[in-house]
Amino acid sequence: MKRTSRDIRTANRYRVLRQIIAASPTSRQELAAATGLSLATVATLVGELLALGMITEVGFEDSAGGRPRGLVAVNTSGGALIGVDLAETYVRVELFDLALNVLARADEALGPGEDRPEQVAGRVAAAVGSVVARAGDGAARVLGAGVSVPGQVDRDTGVCVYAPNWDWHDVPLLDLLAGHLACPLYLDNPLRACAVAELWSGAARGHGDAVVVNLGTGVGAGLVLGGGVHRGVTNSAGEWGHTTLVLDGRPCHCGNHGCVETYTGAPGIMLNLREAQPDSPLLRPGDQTATVDALAAGVRAGDPVAVRVLRETARYLGAGVADLINLFNPEVVVLSSWVAAAFGEPLLDEVRAAVTRHALRRPLAAARIVLSPIPTDPVCLGAATFALEGALQPAGKGAGRHAVGGPR
Amino acid sequence: MKRTSRDIRTANRYRVLRQIIAASPTSRQELAAATGLSLATVATLVGELLALGMITEVGFEDSAGGRPRGLVAVNTSGGALIGVDLAETYVRVELFDLALNVLARADEALGPGEDRPEQVAGRVAAAVGSVVARAGDGAARVLGAGVSVPGQVDRDTGVCVYAPNWDWHDVPLLDLLAGHLACPLYLDNPLRACAVAELWSGAARGHGDAVVVNLGTGVGAGLVLGGGVHRGVTNSAGEWGHTTLVLDGRPCHCGNHGCVETYTGAPGIMLNLREAQPDSPLLRPGDQTATVDALAAGVRAGDPVAVRVLRETARYLGAGVADLINLFNPEVVVLSSWVAAAFGEPLLDEVRAAVTRHALRRPLAAARIVLSPIPTDPVCLGAATFALEGALQPAGKGAGRHAVGGPR
């Protein structure tokens, strides 16, 4: 867990490429000003990115009175990246260029019985194949594929340690996928994917400390601290969904009681609705997505039960988000994932009001609370970004550590 | 909040000196192995520390078959550091050498009426003067003084933004002290002081991610993440005492309800005792320290009420510490400050048992929970360490930013 010189060099590569993606074309001088790194360090890092083929020289700009400054930009044809959002009920695969634009997409539903690791790996591989085929030349040089799994993962070994939805324990998912896919593979989970997506392409970009609150079937917090993703010692940091909000409260599948997730995850929201009106016509038994969509539509139409359920959910969320603000003192809190997207602004307004009732004044004043600005699936984007980060690691560390496929 | 090249160089200076303090004498090769930095980087940093007079060359050791290796050690006479623990009811000042050994100590009680900033600053200055006088030659070159205040502080301006106990708002404490003291001054609070103390000299040394749980009148968490102290964007991270454990529970002075502090801070523990036995002979009304001492003695003697109060307190603490483990996934959780020291092992045992009931299996397995091994006042030690860190900052940043006193 020690930061070595090599870790710092890699982190600086990330920062420079992230800035180039954000504002291409750009000069070394602008990059130094934007990243806080010295011009000499930036020049070295730009040279490395040029050698990797990730960026290209694109001309010069006049500088006032001085020598013309060389400009660089992302080499969008320098390679492609694959992001896989393997979720409880579907597989979504997207292909990206090096500027993290989506080139192609495939969606496949996963049936309730489809939970054997070999089955799931086969479905993922098929979806990847279909996307790569559809992208044509754009997929000529796939630098890697990132895979997000809803559970706890060991990144170094590519093993899914625990996935509650499928009751997976120690499934060697990357080894299974390597039988189908030849590029370097990277495994992580949606908390980390959403954090990396906001850091490279969303509301956390340019911020040292940000918390990305994931609101879906499960809930959790992706942590951006000191400009990088905080993973913890065994890559399981951010389990905010399993912090206690109501001591001895609702039972949680984790074995604890009163966890944030039991009140604010999609099944918890369904329970909030049942408690508000047991026979509500908004309730779609067994279908979280449909129920959340019906509630969101009800809120927009002014349905009093829907509004009450939103407020009650935001009351729990507000207390939990205030805890994150008091603990981390971040610059920004991002509400992400499908439940946040479904409710949108009304949820944001209620959460902001509830947070104000709970948080300490000084950290509250420093923290903006926003909805994720990422217009596409943040999990696919984040998973593809894992592959980009992997390709940026120095030789002997990146691909060698994570990859189980053939040479790239 | 961006990490600049200069920040990284400073962090590396800290790491190398920390390792030299931990194991003197030592060679550049050993330092490279222990820190993960390259030998070239270590050689540069050792050269800088030699030039600053913080370490000295102390001879050579044979290396198997190669050239003899130069050894360095802390230059204990290279300067002195002052640590001030300004608490609700007392001022404690300690003088340290550069190996962070205590050379002299002064304690003064603060009366209930003594809460005007000028009064308090005068008492601090008097205690510092007495310690410096008593240390004689050891105090010849004071590199700086760190001051810990129980509240929220702005480190850059030296202002105590809010101290609940004295109802201080925006008190320019460093400016007041600068009228009395000529050395560079550094302001922070006990959460940060205890974290830095454990990082340099205690249970967090050599760990990337550690949480230092402060149990006193107030409670909070000092955060060591990625090998450094996490402060947040306005230096108010770690307010774990004001995270919600019991939604709509006991009222807290912060305005929220059910905060961790209301159940586990010393006044909360007194309330736990009152709820267990309203007329308990262990209760010393108006005296937190005496009540906690009486409870701790009762636990050691097997008093059933004392044992019950310890278990009840540990039930809340265990849920709260489990939250920290699930969120941060640290290698170590350190129980620190006077309430933890008073109860000792029995508290540790009960907290460990309670954490096991609440935390997720994977982060739980990675986290050791220990009592602070620091035998002296960790707040004084941490405050002195702020001064040491300040003296290690590159010219133009360290003293210039924090110091308001004369030249050193």
Side-chain angles (χ1 to χ4, degrees), chain B residues 26-34 39 42 61 63 67-70:
Chain B
T26 184
S27 66
R28 291 162 182 78
Q29 288 78 4
E30 285 172 347
L31 288 169
L39 187 56
V42 166
E61 70 171 0
S63 71
R67 283 192 306 175
R69 292 171 168 181

Side-chain angles (χ1 to χ4, degrees), chain A residues 16-63:
Chain A
V16 169
L17 182 58
R18 201 181 295 149
Q19 184 60 29
I20 295 172
I21 290 174
S24 269
T26 184
S27 66
R28 291 162 183 77
Q29 289 78 4
E30 285 172 348
L31 288 169
T35 59
L37 298 169
S38 71
L39 187 56
T41 301
V42 166
T44 302
L45 294 165
V46 165
E48 292 171 3
L49 293 171
L50 285 165
L52 287 168
M54 298 222 168
I55 61 174
T56 51
E57 306 264 17
V58 292
F60 295 87
E61 69 172 1
D62 286 336
S63 69

Side-chain angles (χ1 to χ4, degrees), chain A residues 128-143:
Chain A
V128 170
S130 115
V131 160
V132 170
R134 245 180 298 154
D137 287 353
R141 186 181 161 228
V142 174
L143 295 180

Side-chain angles (χ1 to χ4, degrees), chain A residues 39-135:
Chain A
L39 187 56
T41 301
V42 166
T44 302
L45 294 165
V46 165
E48 292 171 3
L49 293 171
L50 285 165
L52 287 168
M54 298 222 168
I55 61 174
T56 51
E57 306 264 17
V58 292
F60 295 87
E61 69 172 1
D62 286 336
S63 69
R67 283 192 305 172
R69 294 172 166 178
L71 295 174
V72 295
V74 180
N75 179 15
T76 48
S77 62
L81 304 160
I82 293 169
V84 179
D85 175 7
L86 174 50
E88 284 87 349
T89 55
Y90 62 86
V91 186
R92 179 172 299 145
V93 177
E94 293 181 343
L95 188 83
F96 295 82
D97 66 20
L98 288 189
L100 296 171
N101 300 306
V102 179
L103 302 177
R105 175 180 297 135
D107 278 293
E108 302 212 14
L110 280 182
E114 290 188 275
D115 56 7
R116 281 191 304 111
E118 295 77 10
Q119 272 180 318
V120 172
R123 296 297 297 275
V124 169
V128 170
S130 115
V131 160
V132 170
R134 245 180 298 154

Side-chain angles (χ1 to χ4, degrees), chain A residues 3 15 238 256 326-327 358, chain B residues 3 15 238 242 256 327 358:
Chain A
R3 273 172 77 92
R15 287 166 68 185
N256 193 12
N326 288 354
L327 267 176
H358 289 281
Chain B
R3 273 172 77 90
R15 287 166 66 185
H242 300 287
N256 193 11
L327 267 175
H358 289 281

Side-chain angles (χ1 to χ4, degrees), chain A residues 12 15 45 48 69 79 92 111 138 242 264 289 298 320 329 349 361 369 372:
Chain A
N12 287 340
R15 287 166 68 185
L45 294 165
E48 292 171 3
R69 294 172 166 178
R92 179 172 299 145
H242 301 288
T264 65
T289 318
N329 186 203
D349 292 344
R361 212 182 307 168
I369 306 175
S372 171

Side-chain angles (χ1 to χ4, degrees), chain B residues 48-65:
Chain B
E48 292 171 3
L49 293 171
L50 285 166
L52 287 168
M54 299 220 167
I55 61 174
T56 52
E57 305 264 16
V58 293
F60 293 89
E61 70 171 0
D62 287 334
S63 71

